[in-house]
Amino acid sequence: AQSVTQLDSQVPVFEEAPVELRCNYSSSVSVYLFWYVQYPNQGLQLLLKYLSGSTLVKGINGFEAEFNKSQTSFHLRKPSVHISDTAEYFCAVYTGGGNKLTFGTGTQLKVEL
Amino acid sequence: DAGVIQSPRHEVTEMGQEVTLRCKPISGHNSLFWYRQTMMRGLELLIYFNNNVPIDDSGMPEDRFSAKMPNASFSTLKIQPSEPRDSAVYFCASSRTSGGETQYFGPGTRLLVL
């Protein structure tokens, strides 16, 4: 069964510093991978997704992620974070049965001045 | 498009009362998902529908929870009777059915059971 692991529950970072949020997946078949962001008191919204093709995926708000099949990873990166990036970030994998997703436990990104 | 609409946005009720949460998916989407989010358990998929038919309800905690989708534009999640441990934020999401499609989340219903 497909699953994702987000090892970091919290990541503090200073404004304008780079950040990487880690996600590893397990799957025996081809994968579709997603990153969603949840701002305080809101629902989740899509940042980016990998379906096929180029392994470097660019998303909204300057985020990007790289699909690495050999390391079964899909880490999210941003070269320079802003205070407004403070949010919880969820990695997810398509699990089949229509459009079912399995979400990771989330990583709380806290950007400080 | 108005996005996924959920009501109510906040609900406070007493233990033992019936609670009904409502969701209107995005027009044209034929998959609908109900999630529950708590600090302790994170984001959990409760049930999802394809073309108004429940496909997987293995995440529904127990018989006190039920969900229906009488038509393509409306779904309900009912808790009867409610218990304090049901306190959580409940999200509805919708998407097209094909794998890889984006799920669009509503703003959530924050439920507090006293």
Side-chain angles (χ1 to χ4, degrees), chain A residues 8-69:
Chain A
D8 305 307
S9 59
Q10 294 186 40
V11 173
V13 63
F14 288 109
E15 193 174 33
E16 297 184 6
V19 70
E20 178 180 86
L21 306 184
R22 297 181 294 167
C23 174
N24 288 90
Y25 69 90
S26 65
S27 174
S28 58
V29 297
S30 298
V31 293
Y32 298 154
L33 292 160
F34 305 77
W35 277 100
Y36 281 79
V37 60
Q38 184 180 27
Y39 298 104
N41 299 314
Q42 294 186 26
L44 282 69
Q45 63 185 87
L46 183 72
L47 265 181
L48 50 81
K49 61 182 175 181
Y50 171 79
L51 303 183
S52 65
S54 173
T55 57
L56 183 63
V57 182
K58 294 190 183 297
I60 62 172
N61 301 338
F63 283 93
E64 63 181 33
E66 185 154 19
F67 172 65
N68 189 318
K69 188 174 182 179

Side-chain angles (χ1 to χ4, degrees), chain B residues 30-83:
Chain B
N30 44 15
S31 290
L32 184 139
F33 308 81
W34 281 102
Y35 293 90
R36 178 173 69 176
Q37 186 176 39
T38 62
M39 291 291 291
M40 292 295 294
R41 301 174 68 92
L43 189 66
E44 306 171 273
L45 176 65
L46 300 178
I47 185 172
Y48 75 97
F49 297 81
N50 282 350
N51 297 313
N52 313 336
V53 177
I55 302 300
D56 183 353
D57 65 355
S58 59
M60 296 284 264
E62 49 200 271
D63 291 345
R64 296 185 298 106
F65 285 68
S66 62
K68 293 182 179 179
M69 192 164 185
N71 57 62
S73 58
F74 183 66
S75 177
T76 59
L77 178 67
K78 187 174 292 187
I79 308 172
Q80 166 64 20
S82 58
E83 297 182 3

Side-chain angles (χ1 to χ4, degrees), chain A residues 62-83:
Chain A
F63 283 93
E64 63 181 33
E66 185 154 19
F67 172 65
N68 189 318
K69 188 174 182 179
S70 63
Q71 297 188 6
T72 61
S73 67
F74 190 55
H75 300 333
L76 182 70
R77 302 185 183 100
K78 186 169 182 177
S80 176
V81 295
H82 189 267
I83 286 285

